[in-house]
Structure formats: structure tokens, C-alpha cells
């Protein structure tokens, strides 16, 4: 966020759709990488995962009790010793079976008492069912679940708790996952404070809460965050090709000191043309090119996307929070999509819950809530406002020629909003059945979502 002199008009070379297309075309897919299990949740497998050893890797007891050999009564031996006929040793659930084990006698089915010579031995208790224990009873054979080379998880699997637990029990410590772009967030502005109610002339930081979830939600990995002022040298240091101080995945390239740099650097503020706005100057110094220099949209028109000769990208977001989110949707989202190998966020059509007058050559982006099946403005949609965004389900795209009440309008979902399309409708493409005028059938209100 920057102050200073008013910025010069932006060239607005790109429309909203042109900016998104240019950003998507600029990015190249990140290669797969091996990531520790603890950091794999939500990632997508890049290769098939095969069992590397039998699962389970040893034969064990399924119950607390005794490992036994032959028929009872059984002579007790030390735990873990190989068993001969008519011998038994205590065992716990999951314990490795000693050699010679033929079955496990459950604790509730056995009792220990003296034999004729007064020595302790194991025998069936009155609670034991007839024939207990049968051969192989309560034994978990090694390799019962999988053998080496068996397919555990196919490529393309999205990794959740069950998949990660399976990988862990198979003895794996990391997994090959689809690459995701590593992102550094640079929050700018000498007037920004980190806590409390700011004094006049100061503003509270919001981007540390607003932008990282968007980066993660749309395919990036935040590996570094920095706060700088408005000095040009601070900007140069923050945008330098130094790899940063990692907060993300240590085994990924660029995620630690001395590694390769972040793939994308996102800045907040400083995209105008005032004295404290240095992004374009630094791009030129580094021999980069401006892929997008201003977008014909409101809010968020001073959004910048630059590509450097080394393949890194700079995304310059405006310093006002709502404008920054719209700038993110315009260029950062399709760029991160291309780099993570997914399609850019797709728009859906919803009927507009309000009429919008034409605004020549400029697309308007309006936070909305779904109300009675329509996209209705959520209010508080100024570039520096957040109340509307906080209660929004998505963002509606109002074309320059305006929109009539009830006319279909493009809408984009937000990571924290409700789904814009019901699952069944999204899968089948089916449209809701229309009720004929004058029909005596009861009205079905189940589709309303006020």
C-alpha cells in the first residue's frame, strides 16, 4: 500500500478476458517433485505408488493373548521364544509371532493354572468356544494386504488422510507429487502497521491474511513472506533472485536458503506510477517484459504481470484489498493454474440479481451472494472495502455493455464461498424443471438458497 503523488493513468491494454488468457499462456507447468508425507495433504500424485515390501511386513497377532503351537494344555515359555508342540507364550496385539506359532488364543479364552506337578500351564477357559483356537485363528499373515510391486495408489490420486496413512504403513517417507509453483509474497508500504487500530495516515495490514489462502487455494505454495517499505532498494532486495527464507516445503527447489528462487513473486501495492512505485523500473533493470500492464476492469485496473529472462514471474497487485483480490483473479489465478498443470478457474452463468448500466470499455467485478438462484451484489464493493467480499460466494463479471436484471452473467467461485453449481447439475448439465403457468402441482422451493 503506497501513498505519494497521484499515479498517472494506466494504459489498460488488456481487457479482463485478454489478461486472463495472457497470464495462462505465459506460465509453464512445474515438473513433479518428491515431497515429505507431512506436506503431501491435498497434493496430486505424479506417479503410481507401489508396495516396496509385504504389507504387513511381518506376521502378527490380531489379539492380546497367547501364541500357541499344537493342542492344549500348553506349557508356557518366555515371550518371543520359538514354540514346539504344546507350548505357548504371551503376546499382544500387533506383536510378532514366534516361530512355530499355529494360532493365537485370545486372553478371554484362556486361563493359567498349575498342572499335576504344580507347574503353571495354559488351558482353555470355560468361556472358550468349542474348537478354540482353530488353526490360524487371530493371526495377521505377513503380506496379507499387499505384496511387493502391488499398486497402492495410482497416479492422479488426490492425497488425503487415508492415502497418506497407507503410504506411511507401506514404509514410504515421501511421495512424487505434481509440481506446484513456489510463491514469495512481498507486502509493501511504509504506512502499513501489523496490529491494533492504526493512526490516521496509517493502514492495517490485511494482505498477510488475504493473499496466502488465495495462493494455496489456487495451486501455489507460499515459501516466503516479506514486509518492506517504499524505498527502491528495499524493493530490489525483496525481488532479488536469492531463494528467500523458507516457510514451506524444504525438499522442493527454492524452498530454502541457497536453493533456487521462488517461481512467482507477488507484491501488494506499488503498481501505480508514483514516486514510491518501483515494480516496472525493477522489471526493466532485470531485462524482463510486461505481460500485462493494467487491466480494463474495476476495481483492480493497476494490476501488473511481468516475466523475467530466468523464467520467474512478478505479479503486482494493487494496494487496496478488494482491488488486489480482483487483480489476483485476473492474472495470478490463471498463471498459477498453468504452472500447476490445471485448467484456469471456469466461470459459470447465473442470472444477475441486479441491473448494471453500461460502463464504456471497462469490466466490473462485483462480489455477490447467491439469493433465490440469482447472483445478487453483496454490497461494499469499493476497492478498499472488504465487508462485501467477506460475505460473498463469488465474483460476478459485468461486461462493459452492462447487464439487465435476470440476464445471465459470468460468475467465479471464491475458495471460501458456497459452490456456485449444485453437484448433480454440474455433473449432468441438467436444467431445473420448469413449472407450467397455472399448474396445480405444489411449488418446489428446494432449489432456493437465500
Amino acid at each position: 500500500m503506497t501513498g505519494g503523488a497521484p499515479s498517472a493513468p494506466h494504459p489498460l491494454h488488456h481487457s479482463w478476458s485478454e489478461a486472463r488468457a495472457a497470464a495462462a499462456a505465459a506460465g509453464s507447468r512445474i515438473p513433479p517433485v518428491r515431497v515429505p508425507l507431512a506436506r503431501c495433504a491435498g497434493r496430486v500424485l505424479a506417479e503410481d505408488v507401489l508396495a516396496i515390501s509385504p504389507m504387513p511386513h511381518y506376521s502378527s497377532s490380531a489379539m492380546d493373548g497367547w501364541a500357541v503351537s499344537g493342542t492344549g494344555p500348553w506349557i508356557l515359555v518366555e515371550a518371543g521364544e520359538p514354540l514346539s508342540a504344546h507350548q505357548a507364550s504371551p503376546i499382544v496385539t500387533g506383536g510378532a509371532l514366534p516361530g512355530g506359532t499355529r494360532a493365537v488364543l485370545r486372553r478371554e479364552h484362556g486361563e493359567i493354572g498349575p498342572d499335576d506337578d504344580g507347574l503353571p500351564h495354559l488351558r482353555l477357559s470355560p468361556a472358550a468356544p468349542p474348537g478354540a483356537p482353530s488353526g490360524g485363528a487371530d493371526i495377521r499373515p505377513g503380506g496379507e494386504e499387499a505384496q511387493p510391486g502391488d499398486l497402492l495408489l495410482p497416479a492422479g490420486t488426490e492425497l488425503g488422510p487415508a492415502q497418506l496413512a497407507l503410504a506411511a504403513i507401506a514404509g514410504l517417507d515421501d511421495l512424487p507429487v505434481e509440481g506446484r509453483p513456489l510463491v514469495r509474497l512481498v507486502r509493501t508500504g511504509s504506512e502499513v502497521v501489523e496490529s491494533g487500530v492504526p493512526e490516521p495516515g496509517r493502514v492495517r495490514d490485511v494482505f498477510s491474511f488475504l493473499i496466502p489462502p488465495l495462493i494455496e487455494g489456487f495451486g501455489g505454495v507460499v515459501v516466503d513472506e516479506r514486509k518492506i517499505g517504499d524505498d527502491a532498494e528495499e524493493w530490489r532486495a525483496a525481488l532479488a533472485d536469492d531463494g528467500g527464507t523458507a516457510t514451506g516445503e524444504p525438499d522442493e527447489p527454492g524452498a530454502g536458503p541457497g536453493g533456487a528462487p521462488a517461481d512467482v513473486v507477488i507484491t501488494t501495492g506499488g503498481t501505480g506510477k508514483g514516486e514510491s512505485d518501483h515494480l516496472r523500473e525493477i522489471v526493466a533493470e532485470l531485462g524482463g517484459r510486461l505481460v500485462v500492464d493494467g487491466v480494463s476492469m474495476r476495481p483492480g485496473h493497476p494490476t501488473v504481470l511481468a516475466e523475467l529472462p530466468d523464467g520467474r514471474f512478478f505479479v503486482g497487485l494493487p494496494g487496496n484489498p478488494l482491488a488486489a483480490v480482483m487483480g489476483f483473479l485476473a492474472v495470478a489465478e490463471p498463471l498459477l493454474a498453468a504452472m500447476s498443470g490445471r485448467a484456469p478457474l471456469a466461470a459459470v452463468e447465473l442470472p444477475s440479481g441486479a441491473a448494471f448500466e453500461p460502463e464504456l470499455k471497462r469490466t466490473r467485478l462485483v462480489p455477490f451472494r447467491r439469493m433465490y438462484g440469482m447472483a445478487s451484489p453483496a454490497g461494499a464493493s469499493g476497492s478498499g472495502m472488504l465487508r462485501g467480499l467477506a460475505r460473498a460466494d463469488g465474483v460476478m463479471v459485468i461486461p462493459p455493455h452492462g447487464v439487465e436484471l435476470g440476464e445471465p452473467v459470468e460468475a467465479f467461485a471464491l475458495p471460501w464461498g458456497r459452490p456456485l453449481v449444485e453437484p448433480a447439475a454440474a455433473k449432468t448439465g441438467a436444467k431445473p424443471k420448469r413449472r407450467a403457468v397455472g399448474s396445480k402441482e405444489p411449488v418446489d422451493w428446494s432449489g432456493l438458497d437465500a
Side-chain angles (χ1 to χ4, degrees):
M1 300 180 182
T2 58
S7 60
H10 287 271
L12 304 180
H13 291 312
H14 290 84
S15 68
W16 155 262
S17 57
E18 289 170 344
R20 283 182 55 81
S28 298
R29 188 166 185 171
I30 302 293
V33 64
R34 296 197 74 91
V35 174
L37 284 187
R39 301 183 185 276
C40 280
R43 303 295 289 265
V44 176
L45 271 181
E47 304 170 11
D48 291 346
V49 172
L50 309 179
I52 59 176
S53 63
M55 295 174 57
H57 58 285
Y58 64 94
S59 296
S60 64
S61 174
M63 291 287 174
D64 291 345
W66 297 267
V68 300
S69 178
T71 57
W74 298 272
I75 300 170
L76 291 171
V77 299
E78 291 295 326
E81 288 188 9
L83 302 179
S84 298
H86 312 300
Q87 288 185 333
S89 63
I91 197 167
V92 297
T93 302
L97 297 176
T101 300
R102 297 294 179 261
V104 171
L105 178 65
R106 300 186 182 191
R107 182 166 297 278
E108 61 270 24
H109 294 165
E111 59 184 19
I112 297 176
D115 62 11
D116 294 340
D117 298 322
L119 298 176
H121 73 286
L122 173 67
R123 64 190 176 201
L124 296 177
S125 71
S134 58
D138 293 319
I139 287 177
R140 294 173 179 164
E144 181 182 34
E145 185 172 3
Q147 292 292 326
D150 284 354
L151 177 65
L152 300 181
L153 297 167
T157 298
E158 183 171 342
L159 297 169
Q163 292 78 20
L164 296 180
L166 176 61
I169 205 169
L172 301 171
D173 298 317
D174 53 38
L175 290 173
V177 295
E178 295 291 353
R180 289 170 59 182
L182 308 180
V183 182
R184 179 190 307 166
L185 174 62
V186 179
R187 297 176 285 115
T188 76
S190 301
E191 77 280 17
V192 179
V193 299
E194 303 291 317
S195 62
V197 178
E199 301 173 356
R202 300 277 184 173
V203 295
R204 176 69 185 267
D205 165 53
V206 298
F207 291 123
S208 58
F209 308 102
L210 191 59
I211 302 302
L214 287 171
I215 294 171
E216 296 283 348
F218 288 123
V221 178
V222 179
V223 293
D224 190 16
E225 287 192 45
R226 302 183 185 189
K227 168 68 175 69
I228 63 172
D230 297 321
D231 182 75
E233 290 309 312
E234 289 184 271
W235 272 77
R236 289 187 179 91
L239 301 182
D241 179 5
D242 64 0
T245 301
T247 59
E249 300 173 4
D251 289 355
E252 287 204 47
D263 303 298
V264 180
V265 178
I266 296 180
T267 63
T268 60
T271 57
K273 294 191 175 179
E275 294 182 359
S276 59
D277 299 323
H278 308 292
L279 181 61
R280 294 173 183 81
E281 175 187 352
I282 295 173
V283 170
E285 290 175 0
L286 296 174
R289 70 182 183 100
L290 294 174
V291 179
V292 174
D293 186 9
V295 183
S296 184
M297 68 182 193
R298 179 168 67 88
H301 69 273
T303 296
V304 176
L305 172 62
E307 183 178 15
L308 302 186
D310 60 8
R312 290 185 298 149
F313 291 92
F314 291 163
V315 173
L317 301 179
N320 284 307
L322 185 60
V325 173
M326 302 312 170
F328 192 102
L329 291 176
V331 299
E333 186 279 323
L335 175 68
L336 295 179
M339 299 179 80
S340 56
R342 64 172 178 83
L345 188 64
V348 300
E349 280 195 345
L350 293 174
S352 176
F356 292 87
E357 295 294 325
E359 186 168 324
L360 187 63
K361 295 184 179 180
R362 187 163 293 192
T363 298
R364 281 159 289 176
L365 303 173
V366 181
F368 73 89
R369 285 187 60 79
R370 282 184 56 184
M371 299 186 68
Y372 303 109
M374 306 181 82
S376 296
S381 58
S383 63
M385 299 179 179
L386 284 174
R387 287 184 68 191
L389 185 66
R391 57 177 174 252
D393 295 317
V395 173
M396 56 199 302
V397 182
I398 309 301
H401 57 74
V403 170
E404 298 291 336
L405 176 65
E407 184 180 347
V409 64
E410 280 193 345
F412 287 84
L414 291 168
W416 55 80
R418 292 181 293 174
L420 300 187
V421 179
E422 299 302 327
K427 188 175 295 185
T428 65
K431 295 183 178 180
K433 181 181 177 181
R434 292 184 177 274
R435 181 174 179 271
V437 176
S439 171
K440 302 299 183 181
E441 296 179 5
V443 177
D444 179 10
W445 300 103
S446 62
L448 300 186
D449 48 11

